[in-house]
Each structure stands twice: as structure tokens, then as C-alpha cells.
């Protein structure tokens, strides 16, 4: 096992200490596998904290970011029905309604009746919502460039390919794992 350079959090053991403890308790543990999986888990947690701080600096929550992102991914004119938004985000209709209400109050989205079907509601990204999304993307891009600064272009390519292979394996084994287990609101 290689020497870990990852610095633990205030009450978190280093990766090497964690793996040694796991091996002590579970002798069949493959330390290489555990190093990869534990490093990915810690990296994911720390990245989520960093993204959360960036979003908070912009005055939006992660839950709001998810809606903005989903509307942008839908493409111009950045509109979806609340039911489709809820489905794409893995939320209940009630949680989606609560989120849309809050975001409409903040001027990030509008909620209007569909001109072609007055029963149907359309949620649309506002200019303010798009501005927040773009600023969040700029901040994330800077953070991600800094994160990967020690890797060459070739290393980034190889890492990306390897991570996509792992992701595909999980998606194949757990096809229903893309949604949320519980609502975030």
C-alpha cells in the first residue's frame, strides 16, 4: 500500500489508519480496493462541501441548484412541468411544489399556466436563475481546475475513463440508484 498523502479531517483517521483498522477487523479486505473506494468517498464528501459553500455564497441552496441545473439541461427555453421536474430529481410532487414556491419567491423561476393547456403548469428559468446557474458553473469550474491541477492532460483523460468505467458498473448493477432515497427539503 502506498503512503497516504490525504490529510484527515479533525476527527477522521488517515486513509492508511482507516484501512489498517478495517484489515484488523475484516481480514479478507483488499487494501487496494479499500484505498480506491475510501478515497473516492472522502473526495466526494469534500467536493460536496466545497460546492455547498460556493452555492451558499451565491445565496442558493443545493436543492435550488438541482432545479436550475435540471432546467438548463432541458435546453432552451429552459422549461419543464413540475411533475417532470420532480421525476428527474427523484422528488415527491409535494417536495417539488415547496421547492418551486421558494424559488419563484426568490425570482429564480417562474410558474405559469401553459398557454396551450390551461390545466398544465410550466416552470421556467428566469434571467436571475440563469445568472445564478452561470456564476455557480464559473465557481465550480475554477474549483475543479484547481482540484486537477497536478494531473497532466493525459492523466485527466485516463482518470476520467476509469471513473466512467466504475460508474457504468454501478449503474449496471444498481440501475435504480440514480434517484434520491429521501427528499432533500
Amino acid at each position: 500500500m502506498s503512503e497516504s498523502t490525504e490529510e484527515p479531517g479533525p476527527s477522521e483517521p488517515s486513509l492508511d489508519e482507516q484501512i489498517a483498522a478495517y484489515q484488523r477487523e475484516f481480514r479478507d479486505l483488499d487494501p487496494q480496493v479499500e484505498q480506491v473506494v475510501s478515497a473516492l468517498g472522502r473526495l466526494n464528501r469534500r467536493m460536496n462541501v466545497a460546492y455547498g459553500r460556493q452555492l451558499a455564497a451565491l445565496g442558493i441552496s443545493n436543492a435550488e441548484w438541482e432545479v436550475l441545473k435540471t432546467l438548463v439541461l432541458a435546453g432552451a427555453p429552459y422549461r419543464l412541468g413540475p411533475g417532470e421536474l420532480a421525476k428527474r430529481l427523484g422528488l415527491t410532487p409535494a417536495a417539488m411544489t415547496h421547492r418551486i414556491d421558494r424559488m419563484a419567491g426568490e425570482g429564480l423561476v417562474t410558474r405559469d399556466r401553459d398557454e396551450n393547456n390551461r390545466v398544465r403548469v410550466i416552470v421556467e428559468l428566469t434571467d436571475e436563475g440563469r445568472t445564478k446557474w452561470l456564476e455557480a458553473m464559473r465557481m465550480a469550474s475554477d474549483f475543479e481546475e484547481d482540484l486537477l491541477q497536478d494531473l497532466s492532460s493525459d492523466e485527466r483523460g485516463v482518470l476520467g475513463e476509469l471513473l466512467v468505467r466504475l460508474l457504468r458498473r454501478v449503474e449496471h448493477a444498481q440501475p435504480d440508484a440514480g434517484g434520491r432515497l429521501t427528499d432533500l427539503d
Side-chain angles (χ1 to χ4, degrees):
M1 182 174 8
S2 66
E3 194 64 27
S4 175
T5 58
E6 186 256 349
E7 293 186 28
S11 62
E12 186 174 43
S14 71
L15 278 178
D16 288 341
E17 291 167 335
Q18 177 181 325
I19 292 166
Y22 285 178
Q23 282 182 298
R24 182 183 66 237
E25 301 298 325
F26 182 67
R27 300 215 185 275
D28 294 336
L29 181 82
D30 181 331
Q32 286 182 315
V33 170
E34 191 59 36
Q35 183 181 40
V36 169
V37 172
S38 294
L40 285 172
R42 287 184 186 201
L43 179 61
N44 182 55
R45 281 195 320 272
R46 285 165 173 79
M47 289 176 69
N48 285 335
V49 167
Y51 292 137
R53 288 177 179 154
Q54 291 173 345
L55 294 174
L58 293 173
I60 60 175
S61 68
N62 186 57
E64 292 168 331
W65 161 254
E66 291 291 329
V67 173
L68 298 177
K69 177 178 73 173
T70 301
L71 289 169
V72 168
L73 289 173
Y78 314 116
R79 299 187 307 190
L80 289 171
E84 182 61 24
L85 266 172
K87 181 179 171 186
R88 291 182 186 196
L89 292 171
L91 298 173
T92 64
M96 191 74 254
T97 298
H98 175 69
R99 195 173 292 183
I100 292 167
D101 287 346
R102 191 173 63 237
M103 293 179 72
E106 295 170 1
L108 300 172
V109 299
T110 59
R111 178 181 36 214
D112 294 307
R113 296 275 174 207
D114 185 339
E115 294 173 6
N116 300 319
N117 178 351
R118 300 298 294 160
V119 175
R120 186 169 184 247
V121 172
I122 298 292
V123 178
E124 184 172 350
L125 188 65
T126 62
D127 289 342
E128 174 69 15
R130 181 150 170 78
T131 298
K132 293 277 188 182
W133 179 82
L134 285 168
E135 186 58 29
M137 289 299 292
R138 282 185 199 96
M139 293 170 81
S141 181
D142 290 345
F143 167 72
E144 292 157 0
E145 282 294 326
D146 185 58
L147 176 69
L148 298 175
Q149 70 180 329
D150 295 332
L151 301 180
S152 71
S153 179
D154 287 345
E155 288 171 324
R156 290 177 185 197
V158 169
L159 179 60
E161 290 172 14
L162 293 172
L163 291 173
V164 167
R165 281 176 43 196
L166 293 176
L167 178 60
R168 285 186 183 137
R169 174 154 314 268
V170 170
E171 288 173 343
H172 178 73
Q174 304 287 327
D176 62 339
R180 305 225 190 315
L181 295 177
T182 58
D183 292 337
L184 298 177
D185 289 331

